[in-house]
Amino acid sequence: MKLSKALKVKNRVAGELSSLQDIYRRENSRREDNPSKVVASDVWNQITAKRNDLVKIKTAITKANIDIYHALAEMEELKGSIHYVSMIPTREGEEVQYEGSNRDKVTYQWTASLNQEAIDGLGRHYQQRINELQDEIDEYNGSTDVEL
């Protein structure tokens, strides 16, 4: 199976596991006058089996990703960088405050090493590189086989 298909299978299995866990959480503790319509121990066994399936799929995907890992890691770091630079304060210009008991006027000058325009440019640059990496990853995922 191609890596792109294995990623879809992984997401499906993860969703199934989550659904089973929700059922178990709901059905685990019941009052005696409200019996469950499911056998909790059977659901628990299904959870265990599904989790084992998910581990196998994730392991196979990880092994298949070895040759593209550099792109995955770079993309992850660039996404973090976009978030980081978007949080950097960019205040610039004059600030006037009135301080002390006499309410004396004090003027401060704010400067930013990276202004908003520079940060926006970095974000666009990072996003362009992410798009390039995503194209590379998509091509790899569509052409790489996974042994499940």
Side-chain angles (χ1 to χ4, degrees):
M1 136 180 356
K2 297 295 181 196
L3 182 53
S4 56
K5 175 70 174 177
L7 291 165
K8 290 177 184 176
V9 170
K10 175 195 64 99
N11 290 339
R12 186 183 74 238
V13 171
E16 292 168 356
L17 175 60
S18 179
S19 294
L20 287 167
Q21 289 170 329
D22 289 344
I23 292 168
Y24 191 84
R25 187 178 311 110
R26 180 188 71 221
E27 300 295 326
N28 183 53
S29 181
R30 306 291 293 216
R31 242 175 43 186
E32 66 184 35
D33 64 336
N34 186 17
S36 177
K37 293 185 168 77
V38 301
V39 179
S41 60
D42 289 347
V43 175
W44 187 258
N45 291 336
Q46 291 173 23
I47 288 171
T48 301
K50 198 62 71 172
R51 185 179 54 241
N52 291 339
D53 291 345
L54 189 56
V55 168
K56 289 175 188 172
I57 294 167
K58 285 182 172 184
T59 300
I61 289 169
T62 299
K63 288 178 181 178
N65 275 334
I66 293 299
D67 291 335
I68 197 73
Y69 187 78
H70 67 283
L72 295 167
E74 183 180 352
M75 191 165 67
E76 181 180 351
E77 291 305 318
L78 287 169
K79 287 179 179 181
S81 293
I82 287 174
H83 176 73
Y84 173 72
V85 298
S86 73
M87 304 300 285
I88 294 174
T90 58
R91 185 174 182 176
E92 293 183 296
E94 188 174 273
E95 174 187 11
V96 176
Q97 290 190 357
Y98 296 92
E99 299 177 352
S101 58
N102 294 336
R103 306 293 293 157
D104 297 326
K105 179 179 175 181
V106 180
T107 303
Y108 298 98
Q109 189 66 32
W110 287 82
T111 59
S113 296
L114 291 174
N115 62 20
Q116 190 62 53
E117 182 180 351
I119 286 176
D120 291 344
L122 279 172
R124 284 189 303 274
H125 174 73
Y126 293 158
Q127 187 60 54
Q128 179 181 350
R129 179 65 181 143
I130 288 169
N131 293 344
E132 293 167 1
L133 291 165
Q134 188 62 61
D135 289 345
E136 182 182 343
I137 292 165
D138 289 346
E139 185 175 322
Y140 182 85
N141 289 352
S143 63
T144 302
D145 291 317
V146 175
E147 296 291 327
L148 288 179

